[in-house]
Amino acid sequence: MNDPTTRNNALQQQTFDVWPDALRALFDGTSLAGKVGFTASLVALGEGGRPRTALLGIGELYAPGPRTLCLALWPQSRAAQALAVRGTAALTFVFEGAFYQAQLDVEPMQRASEAALPLACFKGTLAAGEVQRVNYARLTSGIRFELEEGMREAALRRWEEQIALLRRASEG
């Protein structure tokens, strides 16, 4: 029997091993003000195999190449500590109506010693990526945030500095 509701509910899954063009543009480190609110969840396994999560905004993610994603985290975060030890993570987010998950192999990056930016920087290599969507629904957001009144400009300036740090660190 051909049930149209079953056909319309089908899960669509695609895999990728390089960042699709739309994601490269999202993570290109430019036009950050227009990307405010985007949030990705980074999960790394910590001590005892327990998941450690960090929520990252667009000013903490930079893709310098087709399989690379650089990350800036607070060094005292449990996720940063787990990344330094285990070197693997999953990055999940919602973009253009779909759910994305990227499996990353991660290594610490040398960072410029800049007192204004005490960050733990990591270079992730895309091991596998997957996008999922269904015909009957469109994801409108995952985890989303707003910048507090009076803090938007300062946050954007800090993000610009963080992206500049990730750019320099990713170049070697």
Side-chain angles (χ1 to χ4, degrees), residues 1-2 23 32 35-36 43 46 49 62 72 78 82 84 91 96 106 117 151 164:
M1 179 147 108
N2 222 355
L23 293 181
L32 297 176
K35 300 172 185 175
V36 169
V43 179
Y62 170 63
R78 290 183 291 190
L91 186 76
E96 293 185 339
V106 182
L117 296 172
M151 300 185 81

Side-chain angles (χ1 to χ4, degrees), residues 44-45 73 75 77-88 106-108 120-122:
L45 295 180
L73 287 83
S77 73
R78 290 183 291 190
Q81 293 166 12
L83 283 179
V85 172
R86 295 243 178 152
T88 58
V106 182
E107 62 186 41
C121 297
F122 297 90

Side-chain angles (χ1 to χ4, degrees), residues 4-171:
T5 58
T6 302
R7 187 177 58 246
N8 290 336
N9 294 344
L11 174 65
Q12 299 172 10
Q13 292 179 295
Q14 295 175 301
T15 60
F16 54 91
D17 58 3
V18 296
W19 295 113
D21 291 343
L23 293 181
R24 286 281 308 271
L26 178 65
F27 300 137
D28 69 1
T30 66
S31 306
L32 297 176
K35 300 172 185 175
V36 169
F38 174 85
T39 309
S41 175
L42 181 77
V43 179
L45 295 180
E47 193 174 312
R50 302 235 183 250
R52 300 300 185 195
T53 304
L55 299 177
L56 303 176
I58 200 64
E60 295 152 337
L61 303 163
Y62 170 63
R67 294 192 65 228
T68 305
L69 186 66
C70 298
L71 315 163
L73 287 83
W74 296 114
Q76 69 272 24
S77 73
R78 290 183 291 190
Q81 293 166 12
L83 283 179
V85 172
R86 295 243 178 152
T88 58
L91 186 76
T92 61
F93 54 91
V94 172
F95 181 68
E96 293 185 339
F99 175 75
Y100 285 81
Q101 183 176 75
Q103 300 296 324
L104 301 171
D105 294 322
V106 182
E107 62 186 41
M109 290 192 306
Q110 286 289 78
R111 73 168 181 86
S113 57
E114 297 182 35
L117 296 172
L119 299 171
C121 297
F122 297 90
K123 179 181 179 181
T125 301
L126 182 62
E130 184 176 282
V131 58
Q132 299 178 14
R133 64 181 90 233
V134 293
N135 294 336
Y136 65 89
R138 178 176 165 82
L139 291 173
T140 56
S141 69
I143 300 168
R144 194 152 173 87
F145 69 91
E146 293 178 354
L147 294 172
E148 293 292 333
E149 275 303 309
M151 300 185 81
R152 179 181 173 90
E153 294 308 313
L156 287 171
R157 278 192 305 276
R158 187 182 79 247
W159 287 357
E160 293 282 348
E161 292 174 16
Q162 289 174 186
I163 293 294
L165 174 67
L166 289 174
R167 274 194 180 109
R168 286 191 303 277
S170 72
E171 293 169 357

